[in-house]
Amino acid sequence: MWFIRGDVAATLEQFKGQADVIHCRCVTQHVKDPQSLVNLLADSLKPGGLLLLADGDWVVYDQSRRLVSPAKYDKATGKVIAEGDQSWYAGWLSLVGTGTRSAEYRRIDELVKGCETFDPANLDFHSYYSPVNWAGDDIEHGHELGKILNVNQRAFLSASRGTLRKLGIPEGIVDEWAMHYEDDLDSKHYYNIWYYMTARKSIRV
């Protein structure tokens, strides 16, 4: 096994038609041209090869699976608006999504369907509600998922602080927001949503 670190678009070309399986997780929305990336992944598969594509979204749902309103940063006043049910956690995710998602991004099932190389009869798409720091309602393996997402989203908080600063949010506001973010995870029952797609390359290409 070996690893390559570099420009995925430039690197994949050398593997054209060689892969039996490709797993791509939480990448497509962060490249300039997501459709071109999916096309490159398809080109790298052998005929009949399998693409496993996963991605998340930047929205948050409450315990009843209703969309949660995000807290928002008001540049004019330099303050965060978090009134009523507005969520600091949802607001942080919304900002990071704004700062990192490609303007050309479409949900992964649409990207795969936009590539003619895949067999239309062998496409499978699912969306999953994942509880954060609780077991969820009627979620298989909910306790384990809740624990994993709790660890994951706290690590994400630390890793994404720089994105908020690049968006012009002062360090003091970022610190305050981070504190409320963790309070939300400790005191509220939220879901994040994840998308998973499998696609098999046509044998006739």
Side-chain angles (χ1 to χ4, degrees):
M1 180 180 292
W2 52 295
F3 298 90
I4 299 174
R5 181 177 180 179
D7 183 337
V8 63
T11 303
L12 280 176
E13 293 181 356
Q14 65 183 299
F15 299 106
K16 187 171 183 176
Q18 296 186 37
D20 293 300
V21 178
I22 294 176
H23 177 216
C24 180
R25 177 178 176 269
C26 296
V27 176
T28 53
Q29 61 182 290
H30 302 301
V31 297
K32 290 182 179 179
D33 189 344
Q35 186 64 66
S36 291
L37 173 62
V38 172
N39 295 347
L40 277 169
L41 295 174
D43 287 345
S44 300
L45 287 168
K46 296 177 182 178
L50 184 65
L51 174 64
L52 310 175
L53 197 59
D55 217 339
D57 210 335
W58 300 105
V59 294
V60 177
Y61 294 86
D62 67 12
Q63 185 169 349
S64 300
R65 301 189 182 183
R66 295 172 300 203
L67 201 61
V68 173
S69 179
K72 297 183 179 180
Y73 177 66
D74 185 348
K75 289 184 178 180
T77 62
K79 295 181 179 180
V80 179
I81 301 172
E83 301 172 345
D85 293 331
Q86 286 181 289
S87 163
W88 295 83
Y89 173 61
W92 187 289
L93 265 61
S94 178
L95 276 172
V96 175
T98 298
T100 63
R101 174 179 276 179
S102 167
E104 304 300 318
Y105 179 73
R106 293 174 293 143
R107 207 171 65 179
I108 54 175
D109 55 317
E110 296 180 28
L111 293 171
V112 167
K113 290 175 182 177
C115 178
E116 297 180 356
T117 308
F118 291 111
D119 179 359
N122 282 285
L123 305 180
D124 192 24
F125 173 76
H126 295 277
S127 59
Y128 298 95
Y129 287 93
S130 296
V132 185
N133 204 26
W134 68 299
D137 291 323
D138 299 320
I139 300 290
E140 187 175 6
H141 307 298
H143 286 287
E144 292 85 353
L145 281 172
K147 291 177 182 178
I148 291 169
L149 262 293
N150 181 45
V151 172
N152 185 80
Q153 295 307 83
R154 292 178 196 272
F156 169 79
L157 169 66
S158 176
S160 59
R161 290 175 65 98
T163 301
L164 269 67
R165 291 195 295 270
K166 287 181 180 178
L167 292 171
I169 300 177
E171 185 71 30
I173 297 294
V174 172
D175 289 341
E176 178 189 9
W177 206 319
M179 178 185 68
H180 288 294
Y181 174 117
E182 295 204 84
D183 287 344
D184 275 359
L185 294 190
D186 288 335
S187 63
K188 298 178 181 178
H189 288 170
Y190 287 142
Y191 290 104
N192 287 131
I193 193 163
W194 301 88
Y195 306 119
Y196 191 75
M197 183 88 193
T198 62
R200 193 170 292 279
K201 188 173 181 177
S202 296
I203 296 175
R204 302 181 187 88
V205 293

